[in-house]
Amino acid sequence: MFNRRKFVKLSAAGASLSVLSKQVLANALPSVPTATGFPIVISTWNFGIAANQEAWKTLSAGGRALDAVEAGVKIPEADITNHTVGRSGYPDRDGHVTLDACIMDENGNCGAVAAMEHIAHPISVARLVMEKTPHVMLVGEGATQFAVEQGFKKEKLLQADSEKAWKEWLKKAEYKPVINIENSKGLPGNQYNHDTIGMLALDAKGNISGACTTSGMAFKMHGRVGDSPIIGAGLYVDNEVGGATSTGVGEEVIRNVGSFLVVELMRQGLSPEAACKEAVQRIIKKKPETAKQIQVGFLAINKKGEYGAYAIQKGFSYAVCDKNKQDLLIDGKSFY
Ligand code: ASP
């Protein structure tokens, strides 16, 4: 039986053990992960490693979790090789890059933008919606207008390689968006094309904040909004309990108000992993046939700094950064 404490100790000795983590940790973690206390930051997928490292700069200096998560998720938002988050996201089926994001702090304040075009850092616009308007969410042209008023640069986001991929897709797509099917090589939404970054941080004071940002489902219908910018679906934080975030097919997460559900289950005493598992099982129970074909993953943390994840399909990984290790990548357990 694999011993996680030994793994953490071992992994401090060499970066190559991130690879080991992928092979060995899947389905081998105990149900209640070891709490490493705080500060700590966790985020979805392997690109979460670099994002966490950025967030860690704020957290390790005693900064606020809210500042950490905003700075952290801006890394994949700015990464031109990342086609699922931020400026280089794949467009919708009409060729528009439309971005979704939300952010939530330890006081229950939150802000969001959805289907926003031409602005590279939706998470920062979401934060300003939270801090400078009486609203929670701005969408479409209104979101872009607000961003420009706040000094953001309006720019063309569609990159040449994204445009090429979209045009290729148009040839055989029958104009239907492709849902996120894990392990279907070569298609948008497959394991080479992940996905949303959801990040949760617990700062040195023990306060929790979260951020979630995405370009959504590749080649989606124009105007489609997934779970990621919706408070309670793609992200939820309650400073008394913990936080949760999700990735995968947003429609199923919205139907089940997934991240809110995970936090409420933790409030009732479930560990982060058990809460994520229960939320995944609700999705499967509601639509068992659909669930076989799609991926949804939840990631959660509680007030003690215990974290865990659970997904429908294999292949969901998440990154953890704390005082012991800044680049830990763990395979989440899964139903299938
Ligand atoms: N949850 C995102 C959405 O539905 C996409 C993803 O995480 O793959 O827009």
Side-chain angles (χ1 to χ4, degrees), residues 64 103-111 130 136 208 231 236-239:
R64 189 178 170 202
I103 194 160
M104 190 160 190
D105 77 8
E106 73 277 15
N107 299 312
N109 298 311
C110 49
M130 172 174 90
V136 165
I208 303 181
I231 296 293
Y236 195 69
V237 165
D238 184 320
N239 209 40

mmCIF file of all heavy atoms in Angstrom, residues 64 103-111 130 136 208 231 236-239:
data_model
loop_
_atom_site.group_PDB
_atom_site.id
_atom_site.type_symbol
_atom_site.label_atom_id
_atom_site.label_comp_id
_atom_site.label_asym_id
_atom_site.label_seq_id
_atom_site.Cartn_x
_atom_site.Cartn_y
_atom_site.Cartn_z
ATOM 1 N N ARG A 64 -2.661 38.054 1.001
ATOM 2 C CA ARG A 64 -4.056 37.622 1.091
ATOM 3 C C ARG A 64 -4.368 36.565 0.026
ATOM 4 O O ARG A 64 -3.923 36.665 -1.133
ATOM 5 C CB ARG A 64 -4.923 38.874 0.874
ATOM 6 C CG ARG A 64 -6.378 38.684 1.130
ATOM 7 C CD ARG A 64 -7.114 40.014 0.936
ATOM 8 N NE ARG A 64 -8.551 39.774 0.956
ATOM 9 C CZ ARG A 64 -9.445 40.593 0.421
ATOM 10 N NH1 ARG A 64 -9.055 41.721 -0.155
ATOM 11 N NH2 ARG A 64 -10.721 40.293 0.456
ATOM 12 N N ILE A 103 -14.510 34.998 -9.278
ATOM 13 C CA ILE A 103 -13.601 35.071 -8.126
ATOM 14 C C ILE A 103 -14.448 35.257 -6.871
ATOM 15 O O ILE A 103 -15.536 35.862 -6.937
ATOM 16 C CB ILE A 103 -12.597 36.234 -8.342
ATOM 17 C CG1 ILE A 103 -11.416 36.161 -7.384
ATOM 18 C CG2 ILE A 103 -13.284 37.604 -8.270
ATOM 19 C CD1 ILE A 103 -10.206 36.978 -7.874
ATOM 20 N N MET A 104 -13.991 34.720 -5.743
ATOM 21 C CA MET A 104 -14.773 34.843 -4.502
ATOM 22 C C MET A 104 -13.816 34.958 -3.323
ATOM 23 O O MET A 104 -12.815 34.227 -3.258
ATOM 24 C CB MET A 104 -15.667 33.615 -4.352
ATOM 25 C CG MET A 104 -16.691 33.750 -3.245
ATOM 26 S SD MET A 104 -18.055 32.576 -3.475
ATOM 27 C CE MET A 104 -19.187 33.190 -2.240
ATOM 28 N N ASP A 105 -14.127 35.851 -2.400
ATOM 29 C CA ASP A 105 -13.207 36.067 -1.280
ATOM 30 C C ASP A 105 -13.742 35.508 0.033
ATOM 31 O O ASP A 105 -14.834 34.924 0.080
ATOM 32 C CB ASP A 105 -12.813 37.549 -1.180
ATOM 33 C CG ASP A 105 -13.899 38.432 -0.569
ATOM 34 O OD1 ASP A 105 -14.920 37.911 -0.073
ATOM 35 O OD2 ASP A 105 -13.715 39.666 -0.593
ATOM 36 N N GLU A 106 -12.981 35.740 1.084
ATOM 37 C CA GLU A 106 -13.295 35.153 2.389
ATOM 38 C C GLU A 106 -14.512 35.789 3.060
ATOM 39 O O GLU A 106 -15.032 35.263 4.031
ATOM 40 C CB GLU A 106 -12.068 35.241 3.308
ATOM 41 C CG GLU A 106 -11.730 36.631 3.848
ATOM 42 C CD GLU A 106 -10.908 37.492 2.882
ATOM 43 O OE1 GLU A 106 -10.814 37.149 1.684
ATOM 44 O OE2 GLU A 106 -10.374 38.523 3.341
ATOM 45 N N ASN A 107 -14.940 36.927 2.517
ATOM 46 C CA ASN A 107 -16.109 37.591 3.104
ATOM 47 C C ASN A 107 -17.390 37.304 2.337
ATOM 48 O O ASN A 107 -18.421 37.953 2.579
ATOM 49 C CB ASN A 107 -15.866 39.106 3.160
ATOM 50 C CG ASN A 107 -14.656 39.438 4.020
ATOM 51 O OD1 ASN A 107 -14.529 38.925 5.130
ATOM 52 N ND2 ASN A 107 -13.762 40.258 3.498
ATOM 53 N N GLY A 108 -17.322 36.393 1.388
ATOM 54 C CA GLY A 108 -18.515 36.075 0.599
ATOM 55 C C GLY A 108 -18.731 37.048 -0.546
ATOM 56 O O GLY A 108 -19.750 36.989 -1.241
ATOM 57 N N ASN A 109 -17.778 37.954 -0.767
ATOM 58 C CA ASN A 109 -17.878 38.840 -1.940
ATOM 59 C C ASN A 109 -17.508 38.048 -3.179
ATOM 60 O O ASN A 109 -16.611 37.189 -3.131
ATOM 61 C CB ASN A 109 -16.909 40.021 -1.800
ATOM 62 C CG ASN A 109 -17.239 40.872 -0.599
ATOM 63 O OD1 ASN A 109 -18.388 41.250 -0.403
ATOM 64 N ND2 ASN A 109 -16.239 41.142 0.222
ATOM 65 N N CYS A 110 -18.163 38.353 -4.295
ATOM 66 C CA CYS A 110 -17.815 37.635 -5.519
ATOM 67 C C CYS A 110 -18.084 38.492 -6.740
ATOM 68 O O CYS A 110 -18.892 39.436 -6.706
ATOM 69 C CB CYS A 110 -18.561 36.311 -5.611
ATOM 70 S SG CYS A 110 -20.324 36.408 -5.317
ATOM 71 N N GLY A 111 -17.393 38.152 -7.820
ATOM 72 C CA GLY A 111 -17.560 38.869 -9.083
ATOM 73 C C GLY A 111 -17.322 37.914 -10.234
ATOM 74 O O GLY A 111 -16.598 36.923 -10.083
ATOM 75 N N MET A 130 -16.514 42.655 -8.771
ATOM 76 C CA MET A 130 -16.754 42.436 -7.330
ATOM 77 C C MET A 130 -16.489 43.702 -6.518
ATOM 78 O O MET A 130 -17.268 44.061 -5.630
ATOM 79 C CB MET A 130 -15.832 41.298 -6.848
ATOM 80 C CG MET A 130 -15.811 41.071 -5.361
ATOM 81 S SD MET A 130 -14.843 39.609 -4.921
ATOM 82 C CE MET A 130 -13.218 40.313 -4.709
ATOM 83 N N VAL A 136 -22.807 41.255 -9.362
ATOM 84 C CA VAL A 136 -21.946 40.075 -9.269
ATOM 85 C C VAL A 136 -21.424 39.675 -10.650
ATOM 86 O O VAL A 136 -20.285 39.244 -10.784
ATOM 87 C CB VAL A 136 -22.705 38.887 -8.620
ATOM 88 C CG1 VAL A 136 -21.974 37.565 -8.827
ATOM 89 C CG2 VAL A 136 -22.886 39.129 -7.126
ATOM 90 N N ILE A 208 -9.859 31.836 3.126
ATOM 91 C CA ILE A 208 -9.934 31.138 1.834
ATOM 92 C C ILE A 208 -10.469 32.069 0.754
ATOM 93 O O ILE A 208 -11.418 32.827 0.985
ATOM 94 C CB ILE A 208 -10.879 29.918 1.926
ATOM 95 C CG1 ILE A 208 -10.409 28.974 3.019
ATOM 96 C CG2 ILE A 208 -10.955 29.187 0.595
ATOM 97 C CD1 ILE A 208 -11.263 27.727 3.157
ATOM 98 N N ILE A 231 -21.035 31.469 -9.770
ATOM 99 C CA ILE A 231 -20.771 31.229 -8.350
ATOM 100 C C ILE A 231 -21.715 30.127 -7.858
ATOM 101 O O ILE A 231 -22.925 30.184 -8.085
ATOM 102 C CB ILE A 231 -20.978 32.537 -7.545
ATOM 103 C CG1 ILE A 231 -19.950 33.594 -7.971
ATOM 104 C CG2 ILE A 231 -20.934 32.276 -6.040
ATOM 105 C CD1 ILE A 231 -18.507 33.295 -7.632
ATOM 106 N N TYR A 236 -17.050 27.932 -5.404
ATOM 107 C CA TYR A 236 -17.745 28.432 -4.230
ATOM 108 C C TYR A 236 -16.788 28.416 -3.041
ATOM 109 O O TYR A 236 -16.000 27.473 -2.871
ATOM 110 C CB TYR A 236 -18.993 27.603 -3.897
ATOM 111 C CG TYR A 236 -19.897 28.326 -2.927
ATOM 112 C CD1 TYR A 236 -20.580 29.465 -3.311
ATOM 113 C CD2 TYR A 236 -20.021 27.893 -1.604
ATOM 114 C CE1 TYR A 236 -21.383 30.162 -2.410
ATOM 115 C CE2 TYR A 236 -20.820 28.577 -0.705
ATOM 116 C CZ TYR A 236 -21.491 29.710 -1.123
ATOM 117 O OH TYR A 236 -22.282 30.410 -0.239
ATOM 118 N N VAL A 237 -16.866 29.467 -2.245
ATOM 119 C CA VAL A 237 -16.014 29.580 -1.070
ATOM 120 C C VAL A 237 -16.885 29.996 0.106
ATOM 121 O O VAL A 237 -17.706 30.905 -0.016
ATOM 122 C CB VAL A 237 -14.928 30.664 -1.316
ATOM 123 C CG1 VAL A 237 -14.258 31.069 -0.027
ATOM 124 C CG2 VAL A 237 -13.883 30.169 -2.317
ATOM 125 N N ASP A 238 -16.723 29.307 1.217
ATOM 126 C CA ASP A 238 -17.359 29.743 2.456
ATOM 127 C C ASP A 238 -16.278 29.689 3.526
ATOM 128 O O ASP A 238 -15.784 28.605 3.861
ATOM 129 C CB ASP A 238 -18.527 28.823 2.828
ATOM 130 C CG ASP A 238 -19.253 29.335 4.062
ATOM 131 O OD1 ASP A 238 -18.579 29.812 5.013
ATOM 132 O OD2 ASP A 238 -20.490 29.250 4.094
ATOM 133 N N ASN A 239 -15.921 30.837 4.034
ATOM 134 C CA ASN A 239 -14.760 30.908 4.925
ATOM 135 C C ASN A 239 -14.941 30.142 6.234
ATOM 136 O O ASN A 239 -13.986 29.888 6.943
ATOM 137 C CB ASN A 239 -14.414 32.380 5.200
ATOM 138 C CG ASN A 239 -12.934 32.578 5.483
ATOM 139 O OD1 ASN A 239 -12.100 31.948 4.825
ATOM 140 N ND2 ASN A 239 -12.611 33.397 6.455
#
